[in-house]
C-alpha cells in the first residue's frame, strides 16, 4: 500500500490543508498560520471554535457519564428538551444525530400523518433548489441532481414547486390528492442563500395554506437555526409557527446532534416504538445542547449576529457596487452574489491561499458566508477587506 493511499472512502474532495486547532473565529495550521473562518464548519460552530463554556461542559460530562441509551431516563436530555422547546415554541422533541436524521424523522411523521388519514400514497411538497440531507428519503426531498443521481430516489412521494411561489402551492392543492405536508427551508443554504421574494411573510402564507388544507407545515432549520439569522430560529422573523421543526448544525457547536420538534396536530404522531436512535440525546450531547442554549439566551450574541451581519452586507455592497455584486441573507447567514458569468472555480482556493480566508461557493456563483455569531467588529472589518480584495481581483 502506497504512503499516499487513504483508507477513507472518496466521498469528499478535501482542500489541501489541515488545521490543528481553533480559537474563536480563527483556525490554525501546525505552523501556527491563522485563517479567518467565515464558514464555521458549514454553520456548525456558531459560538466560535473551542468556546470555553462548551469545552468545559464536554470535559466535565465526558468525565462523568457519556452514554446510557434511551432505555433509561436522562436528566440532561430532559433539560435540553425543555430549553429547546421553549426557545422554539414547540411542545416536544426527538433527538437524533444529524440534520438528515432530524429531517428523516419529520418525513416519517408526514407519512404517518397521511396513513392515519387513510392515504394510500401520501405525498410531501418540497421546493426547487432545496437541500434536506443524504439519507434515501431526504436526498429524494433534495433538489440537487448530483446528490440524487444513481440512488433510485422515491420521487413519486414528493411534489416539487418553486421556492417562494405561493400561487404554485395553491395550484398543487387544486391538482393533487393525498398531500400530507409541506417541507421547506426558510432560507435555502445549499441552494444559493435563496430568500423568498416576500421575505419571511412567505412562511405565513404557506402556513395559512397548510392550515386550510390540513397539511403539516414543516420547516427545515438545520442551517438557519440556533441564532444563525439573528433569531433563535429563522421563522421567528415572522408570525408563522411550524407543526414540525428540524435543526442540527449549530445545535451542538461542533458536537454532532440533531433535533426534530413538534407541536399541535403533529404531537401525537410518534408513540412508543414509532422511531428511535441509539445515540439520540446522550447525556454528553444533551448537556452540550443545553449549554449552547444557555449561551444564546443569556448573552447578546444573537443581536451581535444581526448587527455585524448587517454591517458586513452593507459594507460589501458599498465596496463592490460597481462590479454588480449584491448580497442577501440575514444575520450571519450571508450570500455574496457575483454576476452569473463569474468563473468561481478557483475562488475558494485563492481565498484560502492568498487571503487566509475560509469561504465556500454555493448555487454556482454565490459566496456563502457563515461566520461565528460572536464575530468582533475588527474581525468583520478583516473579513470585508479580504473578501473585497478577492472579489475585485476576480472581476477586474
Amino acid at each position: 500500500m502506497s504512503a499516499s493511499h487513504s483508507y477513507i472512502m472518496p466521498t469528499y474532495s478535501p482542500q489541501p490543508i489541515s488545521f490543528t486547532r481553533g480559537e474563536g473565529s480563527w483556525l490554525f495550521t501546525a505552523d501556527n498560520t491563522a485563517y479567518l473562518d467565515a464558514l464555521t464548519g458549514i454553520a456548525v460552530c456558531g459560538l466560535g471554535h473551542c468556546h470555553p463554556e462548551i469545552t468545559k461542559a464536554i470535559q466535565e460530562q465526558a468525565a462523568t457519564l457519556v452514554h446510557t441509551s434511551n432505555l433509561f431516563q436522562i436528566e440532561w436530555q430532559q433539560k435540553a428538551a425543555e430549553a429547546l422547546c421553549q426557545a422554539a415554541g414547540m411542545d416536544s422533541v426527538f433527538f437524533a444525530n444529524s440534520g438528515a436524521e432530524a429531517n428523516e424523522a419529520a418525513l416519517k411523521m408526514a407519512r404517518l400523518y397521511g396513513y392515519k388519514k387513510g392515504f394510500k400514497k401520501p405525498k410531501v411538497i418540497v421546493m426547487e433548489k432545496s437541500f434536506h440531507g443524504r439519507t434515501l428519503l431526504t436526498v429524494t426531498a433534495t433538489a440537487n441532481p448530483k446528490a440524487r443521481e444513481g440512488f433510485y430516489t422515491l420521487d413519486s412521494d414528493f411534489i416539487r414547486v418553486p421556492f417562494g411561489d405561493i400561487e404554485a402551492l395553491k395550484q398543487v392543492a387544486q391538482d393533487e390528492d393525498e398531500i400530507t405536508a409541506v417541507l421547506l427551508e426558510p432560507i435555502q443554504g445549499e441552494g444559493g442563500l435563496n430568500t423568498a421574494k416576500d421575505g419571511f411573510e412567505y412562511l405565513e402564507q404557506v402556513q395559512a395554506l397548510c392550515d386550510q388544507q390540513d397539511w403539516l407545515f414543516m420547516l427545515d432549520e438545520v442551517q438557519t437555526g440556533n441564532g444563525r439569522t439573528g433569531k433563535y430560529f429563522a421563522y421567528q422573523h415572522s408570525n408563522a409557527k411550524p407543526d414540525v421543526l428540524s435543526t442540527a448544525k449549530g445545535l451542538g457547536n461542533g458536537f454532532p446532534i440533531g433535533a426534530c420538534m413538534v407541536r399541535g396536530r403533529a404531537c401525537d404522531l410518534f408513540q412508543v416504538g414509532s422511531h428511535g436512535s441509539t445515540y439520540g440525546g446522550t447525556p454528553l450531547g444533551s448537556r452540550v445542547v443545553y449549554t449552547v442554549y444557555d449561551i444564546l439566551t443569556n448573552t447578546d450574541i444573537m443581536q451581535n449576529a444581526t448587527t455585524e451581519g448587517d454591517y458586513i452586507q452593507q459594507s460589501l455592497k458599498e465596496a463592490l457596487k460597481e462590479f454588480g455584486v449584491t448580497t442577501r441573507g440575514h444575520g450571519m447567514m450571508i450570500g455574496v452574489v457575483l454576476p452569473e458569468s463569474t468563473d468561481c472555480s478557483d475562488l475558494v482556493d485563492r481565498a484560502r491561499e492568498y487571503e487566509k480566508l475560509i469561504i465556500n461557493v454555493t448555487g454556482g456563483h454565490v459566496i456563502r458566508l457563515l461566520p461565528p455569531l460572536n464575530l468582533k467588529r475588527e474581525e468583520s472589518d478583516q473579513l470585508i477587506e479580504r473578501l473585497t480584495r478577492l472579489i475585485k481581483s476576480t472581476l477586474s
Side-chain angles (χ1 to χ4, degrees):
M1 194 69 67
S2 69
S4 61
H5 174 79
S6 174
Y7 288 92
I8 298 172
M9 284 189 184
T11 53
Y12 308 107
S13 180
Q15 297 176 37
I17 192 170
S18 178
F19 299 107
T20 57
R21 67 182 180 93
E23 182 179 338
S25 305
W26 300 88
L27 288 168
F28 298 85
T29 53
D31 64 1
N32 215 36
T33 302
Y35 291 74
L36 181 56
D37 187 4
L39 193 59
T40 58
I42 316 178
V44 169
C45 298
L47 305 178
H49 295 285
C50 298
H51 189 286
E53 292 181 49
I54 303 296
T55 300
K56 180 181 177 182
I58 291 174
Q59 288 174 335
E60 290 183 356
Q61 193 59 43
T64 305
L65 183 65
V66 172
H67 178 81
T68 61
S69 90
N70 287 293
L71 294 174
F72 309 98
Q73 295 183 22
I74 301 171
E75 184 178 356
W76 276 113
Q77 188 183 96
Q78 293 288 344
K79 290 181 178 179
E82 180 181 1
L84 197 57
C85 285
Q86 286 181 348
M90 305 297 280
D91 293 335
S92 61
V93 58
F94 174 85
F95 285 112
N97 307 295
S98 66
E101 289 181 46
N103 284 333
E104 186 86 8
L107 290 168
K108 283 182 69 175
M109 274 190 268
R111 287 189 167 196
L112 195 56
Y113 187 65
Y115 171 78
K116 290 179 180 293
K117 287 185 169 188
F119 292 171
K120 293 182 179 179
K121 189 74 171 179
K123 296 183 281 289
V124 175
I125 300 174
V126 291
M127 304 294 137
E128 295 175 1
K129 300 184 179 179
S130 64
F131 187 90
H132 297 292
R134 300 277 190 170
T135 65
L136 185 57
L137 194 55
T138 59
V139 81
T140 304
T142 291
N144 187 332
K146 188 175 180 180
R148 294 155 51 87
E149 185 179 0
F151 293 114
Y152 296 91
T153 48
L154 310 169
D155 294 298
S156 62
D157 296 346
F158 293 88
I159 301 169
R160 207 171 300 280
V161 300
F163 176 60
D165 188 343
I166 191 63
E167 295 305 318
L169 268 177
K170 291 177 180 178
Q171 189 62 50
V172 170
Q174 294 181 23
D175 296 344
E176 298 284 347
D177 296 323
E178 297 195 325
I179 294 171
T180 185
V182 176
L183 173 65
L184 61 91
E185 304 153 274
I187 300 173
Q188 293 184 322
E190 296 290 333
L193 274 292
N194 300 314
T195 56
K197 63 179 183 295
D198 292 330
F200 290 113
E201 290 182 14
Y202 172 62
L203 302 182
E204 298 173 20
Q205 298 167 6
V206 176
Q207 183 184 0
L209 182 62
C210 287
D211 289 344
Q212 178 187 358
Q213 298 292 330
D214 197 28
W215 300 339
L216 291 179
F217 175 44
M218 308 197 305
L219 291 181
D220 174 348
E221 293 231 24
V222 169
Q223 189 165 146
T224 56
N226 307 292
R228 176 55 54 186
T229 69
K231 297 284 188 181
Y232 211 109
F233 291 99
Y235 79 83
Q236 293 169 334
H237 289 283
S238 74
N239 293 316
K241 206 166 186 181
D243 299 302
V244 182
L245 175 67
S246 61
T247 193
K249 290 194 181 287
L251 183 63
N253 205 62
F255 189 92
I257 190 165
C260 181
M261 291 170 274
V262 296
R263 73 172 188 97
R265 56 190 162 204
C267 274
D268 297 325
L269 290 171
F270 276 179
Q271 298 294 322
V272 174
S274 296
H275 200 44
S277 172
T278 298
Y279 295 110
T282 64
L284 178 55
S286 297
R287 183 167 178 179
V288 174
V289 169
Y290 183 85
T291 306
V292 171
Y293 163 84
D294 188 52
I295 296 168
L296 286 175
T297 54
N298 289 297
T299 67
D300 64 352
I301 194 168
M302 287 190 283
Q303 180 56 51
N304 185 76
T306 297
T307 301
E308 293 305 303
D310 289 347
Y311 175 70
I312 291 168
Q313 285 207 55
Q314 291 302 319
S315 299
L316 289 172
K317 282 190 285 191
E318 180 63 28
L320 297 166
K321 60 183 178 183
E322 64 182 287
F323 295 92
V325 174
T326 60
T327 67
R328 57 194 182 212
H330 292 266
M332 287 300 189
M333 188 173 185
I334 301 169
V336 183
V337 186
L338 307 183
E340 286 192 30
S341 59
T342 306
D343 180 5
C344 297
S345 58
D346 65 345
L347 202 59
V348 170
D349 289 338
R350 290 197 293 113
R352 185 190 67 250
E353 292 174 11
Y354 301 117
E355 298 295 343
K356 300 297 184 282
L357 177 65
I358 304 301
I359 59 171
N360 82 342
V361 175
T362 186
H365 61 104
V366 180
I367 297 173
R368 178 167 52 168
L369 302 178
L370 301 165
L373 310 181
N374 49 4
L375 196 72
K376 300 173 183 176
R377 176 54 58 93
E378 55 265 33
E379 294 170 334
S380 296
D381 285 333
Q382 287 197 49
L383 170 56
I384 293 161
E385 179 183 342
R386 297 180 191 201
L387 191 60
T388 297
R389 192 161 52 230
L390 175 71
I391 293 173
K392 284 184 176 180
S393 70
T394 300
L395 299 179
S396 296

